[in-house]
Amino acid sequence: FISGRIFYQELLNAPFLQIKEISISGIKRVSKDEMMELAGFGLGDNIIAVDIDEIKTRIKKHPWVETVKINRRMPDKVLIEIKERQAIGVWCREKNCFSLDKNGIVFEIIDKKEGPGPIISSKQTEAEAGAKTTSLGQKTIDHEDLRKIVKIQETIKKETKIEIEEFFFFENEKRLNAKTVEGWQVYFDLRKDL
């Protein structure tokens, strides 16, 4: 037991196990410096002492990060692979709009007209939602509701050639109003199959 402990301490101090290279891939919008700051380790640190799970947890706190994979390449290299969130729509509540990913998570403050896909305006106030403000990295809409909204938009466009300007989502009622560019409104009950 004692000899194992001594051996482990020697490994932690071994110069050949000092990190000499850190490779970060998959980032386009997030900077390498931001990721390194969140990771909390750097060149010269011992590769064995690096807590991979803790680093993943810290990096995933960044609102742009959807997934992160970290691998050690012994004796001195750490590989970090990031997958950034991709916007599929815009989520608006009260006066604030955000990029929205496929999982219903908001990750960037934007102008309403900047985002791709459907514009979904929540008709639930912050107080009704039980939150003071919508935060980056927060899940704002159920994945299944979001999937239905995207499907409605795609189907209406394909079948009727009518463009939807904005969706108004009444979360408590699971009701969706689709407003066309012509100003018409179509009502959907998301509790039923569409």
Side-chain angles (χ1 to χ4, degrees):
F1 176 73
I2 293 175
S3 62
R5 225 170 156 173
I6 293 170
F7 178 70
Y8 181 71
Q9 286 301 318
E10 289 298 317
L11 285 177
L12 291 179
N13 295 318
F16 73 95
L17 292 176
Q18 288 180 340
I19 298 171
K20 294 181 180 68
E21 183 180 348
I22 301 169
S23 172
I24 300 177
S25 63
I27 54 175
K28 295 178 183 102
R29 304 275 310 246
V30 178
S31 76
K32 183 176 180 179
D33 290 341
E34 283 179 280
M35 291 298 98
M36 289 306 302
E37 187 175 324
L38 285 170
F41 75 97
L43 298 176
D45 288 344
N46 185 283
I47 197 164
I48 294 173
V50 171
D51 184 340
I52 301 294
D53 292 331
E54 175 63 27
I55 294 166
K56 282 182 187 177
T57 300
R58 287 196 303 259
I59 289 175
K60 283 189 78 174
K61 288 181 181 176
H62 193 288
W64 273 92
V65 175
E66 183 175 346
T67 62
V68 60
K69 294 178 186 175
I70 302 175
N71 292 301
R72 291 182 180 101
R73 295 280 189 238
M74 299 306 266
D76 59 6
K77 186 174 184 179
V78 177
L79 308 173
I80 302 173
E81 185 180 333
I82 306 276
K83 180 179 177 195
E84 292 181 346
R85 296 185 190 285
Q86 299 296 312
I88 65 147
V90 177
W91 175 263
C92 298
R93 177 172 281 145
E94 295 181 358
K95 295 178 184 171
N96 301 311
C97 293
F98 306 88
S99 292
L100 181 69
D101 81 352
K102 66 184 179 194
N103 297 310
I105 296 173
V106 295
F107 59 95
E108 175 187 34
I109 298 170
I110 62 169
D111 183 86
K112 192 179 208 178
K113 297 179 183 9
E114 285 180 20
I119 297 171
I120 305 165
S121 291
S122 170
K123 297 316 264 178
Q124 186 177 42
T125 65
E126 295 288 352
E128 291 171 335
K132 292 183 180 167
T133 59
T134 300
S135 304
L136 297 180
Q138 175 185 349
K139 185 171 184 141
T140 56
I141 184 171
D142 179 70
H143 172 76
E144 186 60 23
D145 290 338
L146 181 57
R147 186 193 65 75
K148 287 177 182 179
I149 292 169
V150 170
K151 179 130 177 93
I152 288 168
Q153 182 183 36
E154 290 171 352
T155 303
I156 288 174
K157 185 175 182 176
K158 180 181 174 188
E159 300 294 326
T160 67
K161 309 291 188 248
I162 295 173
E163 293 284 332
I164 301 297
E165 180 178 280
E166 187 169 2
F167 288 97
F168 300 100
F169 184 44
F170 298 81
E171 291 100 321
N172 294 340
E173 304 168 36
K174 291 284 191 183
R175 188 178 93 218
L176 183 72
N177 297 2
K179 180 182 172 192
T180 68
V181 292
E182 293 85 6
W184 308 335
Q185 286 206 28
V186 182
Y187 305 98
F188 297 92
D189 184 345
L190 295 180
R191 292 174 292 203
K192 299 179 181 179
D193 289 336
L194 301 174

